[in-house]
Amino acid sequence: MASIKVHGVPMSTATMRVLAALYEKELEFELIPVDMRAGAHKQEPFLSLNPFGQIPALQDGDLTLFESRAITEYIGDEYSEKGEKLMCPGCNKVKALTKVWLNVEGQQFDPIASKIAFERIFKGMFGMTTDPAAVQELEGKLVRVLDIYEARLSKSEFLACDCFTLADLHHLPVIHYLMGTDSKALFESRPKVCEWVKKITARPAWAKVVDLQKQ
């Protein structure tokens, strides 16, 4: 039995982020589904794993973690010798750049992109109606972020450096959903961003995450 357990669902962007890191590291794990519709994430025993009642939670032996980005950083550090590095080995300047783009994803990209995904995809799943005005406003904000990405990616193959890192991986879940909507034009109209998206979404580890959604 795998010592690593992930409590979550494969449709969740936060859970997908953790699964991608585990697959990149070629680690064995057990995915334990959480019945969100029944509110299991707001009840015990899940609350003992994450008192904030949000998925995912990870157990690795006697360690329990929540917050997907913290989990992926733990995976990268704890299993640094396995699979893909995820944190580019190099000088402190390279590590600092990686942290910069990790923060950019969490503070500049995801707050906008996740709201677009909610409007375009998840509202429909919950029987709600998309707000076109909200989508237009959000896409206007995302355009400005992607223009900065375009400039950055003209200088390096990936966001932090010329290696694939967590800074790239963290973008995958929301990009995956947006590329199935009209919002994909925002990415495809920027050559460097488009090339970057193609590279990171074509990774074998990511294909395994997407396959989990089909099971």
Side-chain angles (χ1 to χ4, degrees):
M1 183 179 294
S3 66
I4 300 175
K5 297 179 173 61
V6 179
H7 301 258
V9 294
M11 298 296 289
S12 150
T13 55
T15 304
M16 292 164 76
R17 194 173 290 121
V18 171
L19 297 176
L22 289 168
Y23 280 130
E24 287 286 357
K25 284 295 183 183
E26 301 173 2
L27 296 170
E28 292 187 7
F29 65 91
E30 179 184 1
L31 177 60
I32 301 175
V34 178
D35 191 344
M36 304 285 286
R37 291 185 181 276
H41 57 307
K42 300 296 184 182
Q43 306 169 28
E44 292 292 357
F46 185 81
L47 287 176
S48 64
L49 302 174
N50 182 357
F52 294 101
Q54 297 173 322
I55 59 172
L58 177 138
Q59 293 176 293
D60 188 4
D62 60 358
L63 176 68
T64 299
L65 297 173
F66 52 88
E67 295 296 340
S68 63
R69 291 171 180 83
I71 293 171
T72 62
E73 290 196 44
Y74 163 76
I75 292 168
D77 290 336
E78 181 67 13
Y79 298 97
S80 61
E81 300 305 314
K82 291 183 175 290
E84 190 71 26
K85 288 297 181 185
L86 297 184
M87 295 294 284
C88 190
C91 66
N92 287 336
K93 290 182 179 179
V94 173
K95 293 176 183 177
L97 276 172
T98 303
K99 290 181 179 180
V100 166
W101 287 98
L102 282 168
N103 278 279
V104 168
E105 183 277 331
Q107 298 181 27
Q108 304 292 338
F109 176 85
D110 190 70
I112 301 169
S114 286
K115 288 177 182 176
I116 298 174
F118 177 72
E119 287 288 343
R120 286 196 176 277
I121 298 171
F122 294 106
K123 268 192 170 182
M125 292 182 179
F126 298 121
M128 303 165 69
T129 303
T130 298
D131 182 347
V135 171
Q136 184 176 8
E137 179 182 357
L138 289 163
E139 287 188 337
K141 294 178 179 179
L142 186 58
V143 160
R144 293 192 288 274
V145 174
L146 292 178
D147 283 343
I148 294 170
Y149 278 43
E150 183 73 8
R152 172 59 187 167
L153 290 165
S154 69
K155 299 175 183 177
S156 63
E157 186 174 355
F158 296 96
L159 285 174
C161 55
D162 288 329
C163 302
F164 177 81
T165 70
L166 287 177
D168 306 291
L169 181 149
H170 284 184
H171 289 77
L172 277 166
V174 176
I175 284 178
H176 167 74
Y177 283 118
L178 292 184
M179 293 305 286
T181 74
D182 289 344
S183 295
K184 68 180 181 180
L186 304 181
F187 298 87
E188 293 177 342
S189 61
R190 290 162 175 80
K192 294 297 183 182
V193 170
C194 182
E195 181 183 356
W196 170 71
V197 168
K198 287 179 179 178
K199 281 187 290 194
I200 65 174
T201 56
R203 296 183 68 80
W206 183 247
K208 293 178 181 180
V209 177
V210 175
D211 285 344
L212 275 180
Q213 296 185 333
K214 303 172 184 177
Q215 296 177 12

